[in-house]
């Protein structure tokens, strides 16, 4: 035994953590869930605390069993459980205690020796994001359905979690509510409250009626195939919007059971026979998961994962990832108004039959087959039926809402994280090495006048204008082609993207930046100010950015670099003295923060910034290491910000910071 570890194998010690409850985040019939901060030796972490509402010995034993089962599961697609903590009743607020359902012996214990009776808390990892049920519901409320490829990806990740978990347990409570999706797009299975150890039959009848397998509903022996059936029900609902099994909660429980079982014994339609836009490859997989007899289902969850990935998700190459799921959710949260070329590239698998990326999947009655419409008629009381009825009434009563005006934009990507935007209206955007082009590229393989983007009858076109090395549209060489949103054009070593973007609105008269704006800047999600180029103002703004970053979820290195990098940006933009004001807009989104710095119209600040960026790009291509002060500033800016958007027509620089 090595001397430096001798004896430690037999060392036992106790550790203590302090918890601060921040907010309630959910409650059900059995328990309440809170978000809390855990302090262990000065290290702070966000966790979830799950407590019981009914305090009985048998319920406490179930919570202990859940903790024992869940803590042994270690998988990226399963919410990590840390164990149990306990709090003396005497330390609990009176209002909280009054909400608990206590048995007579517990009430007596609380009154006589409250500090000796304890409330148990199950401690779990905090997943910042949403649950699958809420995500599907929010789509229906916006008259949309969740995209089928992304639904299949979520199902595949949860099937992967089950493949691992079934080595130990049967979950028995698979439902959309128990599938969490983090802000990074990672899918995680949670709530093992009624799970049972594999190969041991449960003594109790438990689960959600709408997501039970036939054998589970009949209280017959079950195995992992019951979880596969339940996951198939989740998949069916995700791709069609319709719960395959449904009984109104207003009915007596026995009647609900009879109705659900009658639906099971009926002809369970495969999804493509309900919604015409569900791919048949995906539909067949879901249908097999939903076989009434367990022996005809997939026998293992691992096979579901393999079939989904091989036959559907990645059958044609690139498919959904955690990043693409996160990108879609971000776009959805912005009501499909804010997205960039990187996000569209991540979602290129959503292209329709015409090759166009289709982000929205509209909820319409026409999207359902005749059989699907009959199924809808049988599911009165569900959200999807209510939304379709509302849509029909709105269609009859009022004209359609006007569409948001969008403009065609060509984006040139420089230096990895730098993009310059060029509105494509009546003007032609020329690209080449000659200095009379709109976009000048320093690459030797680029011809003097290489290519151009323009509109013809409102349709965007890219055309080679006699170059030596040609242009490539989505990796295929073309001489002239119409563009669709998300298309990628390579000219030399530079990538160009085509997007339709929301027309920018001219800001109203903005107030002048001063000390009074500090509280607003610290807490507003969208605020604009104007300021005059002056060293004292630049320093003051840098201080404001430092204050903002104290509460932002960014890494320590970024937090130290960003204020100085921001200072360098406004220094360059305001480098020429002018009597006109510059503008700053600060926006906070769910996963990033952005600063839009606009040079005064009469100044040459934007040109100075672009020239410094151009020099940096040219020297990088030449692999030279010596930079002047301005180019060193550009290097700092490139390192500090995750994305930099330049708009020549607006003389504006957008600086983006992604949250960790």
């Amino acid at each position: 035994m090595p001397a430096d570890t001798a004896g430690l194998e037999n060392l036992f010690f106790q550790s203590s953590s302090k918890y601060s409850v921040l907010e309630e985040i959910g409650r059900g019939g059995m328990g309440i869930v809170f978000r809390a901060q855990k302090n262990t030796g000065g290290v702070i972490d966000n966790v979830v605390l799950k407590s019981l509402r009914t305090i009985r010995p048998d319920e406490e034993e179930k919570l202990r069993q859940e903790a024992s089962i869940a803590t042994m599961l270690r998988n990226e697609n399963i919410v990590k459980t840390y164990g149990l903590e306990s709090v003396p009743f005497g330390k609990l607020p009176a209002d909280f205690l009054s909400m608990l359902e206590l048995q007579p012996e517990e009430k007596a214990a609380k009154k006589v020796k409250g500090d000796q009776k304890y409330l148990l808390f199950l401690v779990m990892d905090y997943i910042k994001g949403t649950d699958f049920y809420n995500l599907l519901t929010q789509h229906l409320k916006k008259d949309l359905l969740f995209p089928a490829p992304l639904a299949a990806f979520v199902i595949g990740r949860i099937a992967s979690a089950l493949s691992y978990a079934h080595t130990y347990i049967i979950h028995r409570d698979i439902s959309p509510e128990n599938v969490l999706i983090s802000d990074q797009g990672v899918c995680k299975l949670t709530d093992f409250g009624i799970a049972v150890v594999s190969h041991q039959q449960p003594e109790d009848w438990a689960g959600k009626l709408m997501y039970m397998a036939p054998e589970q509903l009949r209280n017959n022996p079950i195995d992992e195939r019951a979880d596969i059936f339940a996951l198939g029900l989740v998949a069916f609902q995700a791709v069609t919007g319709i719960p395959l099994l449904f009984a109104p909660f207003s009915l007596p429980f026995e009647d609900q059971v009879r109705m659900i079982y009658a639906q099971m014994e009926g002809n369970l339609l495969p999804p493509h026979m309900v919604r015409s836009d569900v791919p048949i490859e995906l539909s067949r997989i879901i249908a097999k998961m939903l076989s009434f007899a367990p022996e005809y289902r997939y026998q293992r969850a691992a096979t579901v994962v393999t079939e989904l990935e091989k036959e559907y998700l990645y059958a044609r190459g690139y498919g959904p990832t955690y990043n693409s799921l996160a990108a879609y959710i971000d776009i959805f949260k912005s009501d499909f108004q804010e997205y960039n070329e990187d996000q569209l590239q991540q979602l290129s698998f959503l292209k329709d039959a015409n090759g166009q990326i289709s982000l929205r999947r509209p909820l319409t009655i026409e999207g359902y087959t005749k059989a699907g419409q009959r199924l809808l008629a049988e599911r009165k009381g569900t959200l999807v039926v209510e939304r379709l009825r509302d849509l029909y009434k709105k269609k009859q009563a009022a004209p359609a809402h006007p569409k948001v005006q969008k403009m065609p934009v060509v984006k040139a990507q420089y230096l990895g994280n730098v993009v310059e935007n060029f509105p494509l209206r009546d003007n032609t955007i020329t690209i080449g090495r000659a200095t009379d082009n709109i976009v000048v590229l320093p690459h030797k393989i680029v011809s003097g006048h290489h290519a151009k983007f323009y509109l013809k009858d409102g349709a965007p076109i890219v055309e080679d204008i006699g170059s030596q090395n040609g242009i490539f549209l989505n990796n295929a060489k073309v001489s002239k082609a119409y563009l669709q949103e998300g298309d990628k054009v390579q000219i030399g070593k530079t990538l160009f993207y085509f997007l339709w973007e929301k027309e920018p609105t001219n800001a109203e008269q903005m107030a002048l930046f001063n000390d009074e704006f500090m509280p607003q800047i610290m807490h507003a999600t969208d605020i604009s100010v104007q300021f005059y180029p002056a060293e004292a103002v630049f320093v003051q703004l840098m201080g404001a950015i430092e204050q903002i970053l104290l509460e932002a979820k960014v890494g320590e290195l970024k937090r130290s670099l960003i204020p100085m990098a921001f200072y360098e940006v406004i220094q360059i933009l305001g480098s020429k003295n002018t009597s006109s004001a510059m503008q700053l807009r600060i926006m906070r989104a769910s996963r990033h923060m952005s600063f839009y710095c606009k040079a005064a119209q009469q100044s040459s600040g934007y040109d100075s910034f672009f020239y410094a960026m151009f020099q940096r790009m040219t020297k990088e291509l030449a692999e030279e290491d010596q930079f002047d002060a301005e180019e060193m500033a550009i290097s700092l800016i490139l390192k500090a910000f995750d994305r930099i958007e330049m708009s020549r027509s607006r003389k504006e620089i957008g600086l983006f910071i992604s949250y960790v």
Side-chain angles (χ1 to χ4, degrees), residues 69-81 164 168:
I69 288 174
T71 50
M72 69 180 177
L73 301 176
R74 290 173 171 82
N75 182 275
E76 70 166 343
N77 296 123
I78 294 176
V79 174
K80 179 70 184 109
T81 299
Y164 165 82
Y168 307 97

Side-chain angles (χ1 to χ4, degrees), residues 4-119:
D4 59 347
T5 61
L8 290 184
E9 288 79 3
N10 298 315
L11 176 67
F12 297 91
F13 65 95
Q14 288 187 332
S15 173
S16 62
S17 296
K18 297 179 181 179
Y19 294 86
S20 301
V21 178
L22 302 178
E23 61 177 338
E24 180 183 325
I25 57 176
R27 68 171 63 193
M30 300 300 295
I32 310 172
V33 181
F34 303 91
R35 181 171 70 91
Q37 278 190 341
K38 177 184 177 184
N39 184 333
T40 305
V43 178
I44 305 296
D45 190 17
N46 280 314
V47 296
V48 164
L49 301 178
K50 177 182 176 181
S51 72
L52 294 169
R53 291 184 65 179
T54 303
I55 311 300
R56 295 199 313 254
D58 59 329
E59 294 297 335
E60 289 186 346
E61 182 56 33
K62 287 181 181 179
L63 190 65
R64 292 182 187 276
Q65 181 180 355
E66 179 182 357
S68 299
I69 288 174
T71 50
M72 69 180 177
L73 301 176
R74 290 173 171 82
N75 182 275
E76 70 166 343
N77 296 123
I78 294 176
V79 174
K80 179 70 184 109
T81 299
Y82 299 106
L84 287 173
E85 296 283 5
S86 57
V87 178
F89 271 28
K91 290 189 175 182
L92 296 172
D95 290 344
F96 179 79
L97 281 172
S98 65
M99 186 173 56
L100 300 178
E101 300 174 19
L102 302 175
Q103 297 301 298
E105 57 270 24
E106 274 74 29
K107 289 182 179 180
K110 181 173 79 72
K111 290 179 181 178
V112 177
K113 44 184 179 180
D115 59 343
Q116 296 180 18
K117 182 66 183 175
Y118 290 87
L119 178 68

Side-chain angles (χ1 to χ4, degrees), residues 305-468:
V305 180
T306 301
E307 290 288 292
L308 280 170
E309 293 182 351
K310 184 180 71 172
E311 300 298 329
Y312 176 60
L313 285 172
Y314 310 111
R316 295 178 178 87
Y318 180 65
T321 63
Y322 292 141
N323 286 340
S324 57
L325 178 57
Y328 173 80
I329 293 175
D330 274 356
I331 294 170
F332 171 75
K333 286 180 179 178
S334 76
D335 203 19
F336 302 94
Q337 297 304 313
E338 297 178 10
Y339 49 87
N340 58 49
E341 73 287 348
D342 289 336
Q343 291 174 314
L344 283 186
Q345 288 297 303
Q346 291 173 6
L347 296 168
S348 60
F349 53 84
L350 292 178
K351 286 185 178 180
D352 57 22
N354 299 318
Q356 189 167 356
I357 296 176
S358 183
L359 295 174
R360 292 181 180 85
R361 190 178 169 215
L363 174 68
T364 62
I365 193 63
E366 293 79 14
Y368 290 93
T369 63
K370 294 296 183 184
Q373 293 176 21
R374 287 194 293 272
L375 183 61
L376 284 167
E378 297 169 3
R379 297 295 181 267
K380 293 178 181 177
T382 59
L383 179 59
V384 63
V385 172
E386 292 175 0
R387 293 306 306 165
L388 286 168
R389 283 178 174 170
D390 288 345
L391 278 171
Y392 178 78
K393 292 177 182 177
K394 289 178 183 177
K395 190 175 180 180
Q396 298 296 313
H401 294 292
K403 292 184 178 180
V404 176
Q405 292 297 317
K406 288 194 172 186
M407 63 178 180
V409 176
V410 173
K411 292 174 174 271
Q413 187 175 37
Y414 312 129
L415 300 174
N417 63 333
V418 181
V419 172
E420 188 171 23
N421 300 330
F422 298 92
L424 187 62
R425 294 189 179 93
D426 298 328
N427 55 317
T428 296
I429 300 170
T430 56
I431 299 100
R433 208 166 47 176
T435 57
D436 59 345
N437 288 289
I438 300 294
V439 183
V440 179
L441 299 178
H443 315 91
K444 293 180 180 179
I445 59 174
V446 175
S447 301
H449 297 88
H450 197 113
K452 63 180 180 179
F453 293 89
Y454 60 97
L455 293 179
K456 183 177 181 181
D457 299 327
I461 295 174
V462 62
E463 183 178 348
D464 189 324
I465 52 177
S467 70
Q468 289 186 346

Side-chain angles (χ1 to χ4, degrees), residues 494-505:
T494 302
L495 289 177
F496 293 80
Y497 298 89
F498 174 74
L499 278 77
W500 289 92
E501 289 194 341
K502 186 170 62 174
E503 285 272 12
T505 54

